[in-house]
Amino acid sequence: MTTTLVKEEKRTAPPPRAARRRAPHRVEARGALILLSPYILLFLVAAAIPIGYAFWISLQKAPTLVNPQSGFGGLDSFVTVISDYRFVDTFINIFTVMIVWLPLMIIGIVGLALLVHASPGRFGGAMRFIYYVPGALAGIANFVLWVYLLNPSQSPIAFLWQGAGLDNLKEVVTTENLPSILTAMLFFQGVGTWIVIVNGGLNGISDEIFEAAALDGANAWHMAWRVKLPLIRPWIGYAALMNLAYGFQLFLEPYLLRQISAGSVDAEWAPTQLGYAFAFTNRNFPAAAAMSIILLVITLAIGIVIVFRSGLFGEKEERR
């Protein structure tokens, strides 16, 4: 009789805890895979395959008039790009913009987002809308607006240009002034959109956290510096990462500014313009592909530092 009861208890015993945990995890993993499948397909078509193809092209030998046959060239294209006299200058130019624009952008985004979040009601909503308006302009519309502002003969701030001794557009838009002009253009165009995004992150913080901080005696400054700012650090990292990627892709703005200034700006001012020159001026597509790979590696390296420093993709510890 005792043996029978023991066998029945073994049969009706619940499954081990590890097995009970494994089943929901499999369901979650299957659901996540289904949701990710469209993005994985898009990533393969729009990113992974083009990157692989660019790397393969960069390893080929550029055809010439003497030797029109192409073939495996090893790292010759990378050597051609790095040894080009314009290579270092283009990165100095882009880093000159990034060093000023990116910190200014992040400080402006965070500061204004905190002010908007601390101003609930109609005033905060109105300011959020006003900040967003410049970002709602299309790229070419924003550029036309800046052409109007930079032209001393038509600009409402013409007194500034005339006070600096600049009488026409060609004198304003020069290679020396281009970093300052691009910094102002990029800040004006992008800050409003990111204020809205970071403000969304602030709105996602639980009111209980603010109530607890207020009970502990935190004033408005402490609330912003010690409570809100640490909690939106991933959002700040995301903003820095995306603006970093956009900064290294600068092409349209310096290209068009060169057109309207009748050549006052260097033709290969940015790294992307140098890659364009390799491809369509020198007809050296392997060198252009090598330039794109170099840009990718630099952007990824800086982006990885931002991701780990900001905790952008960090996992939250589960509390039981």
Side-chain angles (χ1 to χ4, degrees):
M1 186 70 175
T2 306
T3 308
T4 306
L5 290 173
V6 171
K7 289 182 178 180
E8 289 180 357
E9 287 179 1
K10 289 183 178 180
R11 290 176 183 174
T12 59
R17 185 177 298 178
R20 282 183 292 173
R21 290 178 183 175
R22 198 178 300 121
H25 287 174
R26 288 177 180 174
V27 175
E28 291 176 1
R30 193 181 302 114
L33 184 60
I34 293 173
L35 292 175
L36 281 174
S37 56
Y39 173 77
I40 293 173
L41 179 62
L42 182 63
F43 176 78
L44 289 173
V45 173
I49 295 175
I51 290 172
Y53 181 70
F55 184 72
W56 180 76
I57 290 293
S58 68
L59 298 178
Q60 305 303 306
K61 186 184 300 182
T64 61
L65 294 176
V66 178
N67 184 17
Q69 299 294 328
S70 61
F72 183 74
L75 299 178
D76 291 346
S77 297
F78 291 92
V79 174
T80 300
V81 170
I82 295 174
S83 60
D84 190 278
Y85 70 95
R86 300 163 293 183
F87 178 78
V88 175
D89 291 338
T90 59
F91 279 96
I92 291 175
N93 292 336
I94 204 68
F95 276 115
T96 302
V97 175
M98 299 282 283
I99 289 172
V100 178
W101 163 63
L102 198 56
L104 183 65
M105 189 77 167
I106 299 304
I107 293 172
I109 290 168
V110 174
L112 293 174
L114 289 172
L115 288 175
V116 169
H117 187 260
S119 305
R122 293 183 178 180
F123 178 76
M127 294 307 298
R128 185 167 58 248
F129 174 75
I130 291 171
Y131 290 143
Y132 180 73
V133 168
L137 293 174
I140 192 64
N142 183 65
F143 179 80
V144 171
L145 173 63
W146 274 95
V147 171
Y148 175 70
L149 290 174
L150 294 172
N151 192 345
S153 62
Q154 300 175 343
S155 175
I157 56 172
F159 63 93
L160 295 177
W161 307 127
Q162 294 170 0
L166 305 174
D167 298 323
N168 54 63
L169 187 62
K170 187 173 183 179
E171 293 179 353
V172 174
V173 183
T174 61
T175 300
E176 291 76 18
N177 297 335
L178 193 57
S180 301
I181 293 172
L182 288 175
T183 298
M185 289 177 66
L186 295 174
F187 181 85
F188 178 79
Q189 183 178 1
V191 68
T193 304
W194 286 105
I195 288 172
V196 174
I197 295 173
V198 175
N199 185 68
L202 288 168
N203 290 333
I205 301 174
S206 174
D207 293 336
E208 296 176 356
I209 297 177
F210 299 137
E211 293 173 0
L215 290 174
D216 289 339
N219 55 25
W221 171 254
H222 293 151
M223 194 79 74
W225 184 255
R226 297 182 181 275
V227 179
K228 296 180 181 180
L229 199 58
L231 291 175
I232 62 170
R233 197 171 71 171
W235 295 87
I236 298 172
Y238 178 64
L241 183 64
M242 298 306 294
N243 281 282
L244 172 77
Y246 183 79
F248 273 105
Q249 295 173 15
L250 276 180
F251 177 84
L252 182 64
E253 289 84 355
Y255 177 81
L256 293 179
L257 286 171
R258 172 179 168 80
Q259 303 301 314
I260 65 169
S261 63
S264 295
V265 178
D266 294 339
E268 292 82 30
W269 187 87
T272 51
Q273 290 179 290
L274 179 58
Y276 182 86
F278 277 128
F280 299 104
T281 302
N282 301 345
R283 300 294 177 181
N284 191 342
F285 288 97
M291 187 69 189
S292 67
I293 296 298
I294 292 172
L295 274 173
L296 175 67
V297 171
I298 293 174
T299 307
L300 283 178
I302 301 176
I304 288 172
V305 173
I306 293 175
V307 166
F308 282 101
R309 294 291 296 176
S310 64
L312 180 58
F313 299 128
E315 295 181 359
K316 296 182 179 180
E317 294 183 0
E318 295 182 359
R319 295 182 179 179
R320 297 179 181 177

